[in-house]
Amino acid sequence: MEKKIYSDFTYESESFIHELFRKRKAAALTGAGISEESGISTFRGDNGIWKRYNPAIYANLPGLGFTLLVAPHKVINFITEVFDTLINAKPNPGHFALAELENQGILSSIITQNIDNLHQEVGSKRVIELHGNMFEFRCMKCNCKRKLSKGELASIMDELKNSRKSLFAIKKILIKCNCGGKMRPNAVLFGEVLDQTKISDAYKEINNNEVLLIIGTSGVVYPAAYLPWYAKEIGKTIIEINPDRSKFSEIANYFVKGKAGEVLPSVIEQIFGVTLMNDKEGCL
Ligand code: OAD
């Protein structure tokens, strides 16, 4: 297939949309970029969270555990900043557009590396969360799970911010399970093993669809980053939407340079001739 690169998304750059509509069966792989327009900074962008917090310390259990002992206020600042951002984030037109593509039977699933719950918030039904979900807590003793609302988490964060930012403060607010065990956010840290069922579900989605839409990921974190290479290997059509080139741009059949929140609603307009509406706030 001839490779097409759209250096700027315009209404003329339609052929990737025709391809999507013609083949219909698509899965999406999303990363931090799709939530950037929701106010959540990406990990590796200029203002990315890993530029401000060293992932060698903050993205793994040993690093967090050690810092908690020697400088608990740093861990508390990190945790409260992350949760404040997630609690205040609102889905953007990119999330709505993907939910609409699913409603219309074009998109069968979203495989996401994001932990922000925004796909589910707009009603996307089949979401495979490879890296977990920060609103879900998992008991470290019995492994049971419990989802907390934004309100519940906001009051926990307020308590933490108003505390003396000590190790004791963290222990006090740790959510307890009915079994007596302590619960932690059910999100994957570096060095932790991903849920193998989710990985195999993600591969099944690629097998069962004709198109892989890659949206807002740099493609540097594995095993998620294997998925597009596998899709390419078995002959699927790859459409990438990103304002910058990523590790996948070379293998994409179509590289659409643009923001998810602008390109995806335009796709909906092109296919269905409708402007996405949000019941509460009018046009998106
Ligand atoms: P990155 O921060 O590595 O990459 C974000 C990508 O989004 C970049 O390619 C940007 O160009 C693109 N981008 C920025 N704004 C965008 C927009 N408005 N629309 C579309 N794309 C945009 O984030 P991820 O690739 O998601 O893992 O990172 C993967 C994993 O690394 C994360 O899940 C996390 C992190 O460490 C864990 O925490 C386990």
Side-chain angles (χ1 to χ4, degrees), residues 203-204 206-207 225-236:
Y203 277 96
K204 277 183 206 152
I206 293 194
N207 285 333
Y226 285 125
L227 295 165
W229 297 98
Y230 174 69
K232 185 73 185 174
E233 184 73 25
I234 60 172
K236 307 295 174 171

Side-chain angles (χ1 to χ4, degrees), residues 177-216:
C177 176
N178 292 337
C179 77
K182 295 192 172 64
M183 303 188 94
R184 58 165 271 187
N186 194 23
V188 176
L189 291 165
F190 283 5
E192 293 186 323
V193 179
L194 272 65
D195 181 335
Q196 292 308 301
T197 314
K198 290 182 181 175
I199 295 281
S200 85
D201 285 350
Y203 277 96
K204 277 183 206 152
E205 288 301 329
I206 293 194
N207 285 333
N208 294 341
N209 285 287
E210 292 309 317
V211 176
L212 180 64
L213 270 173
I214 306 175
I215 305 157

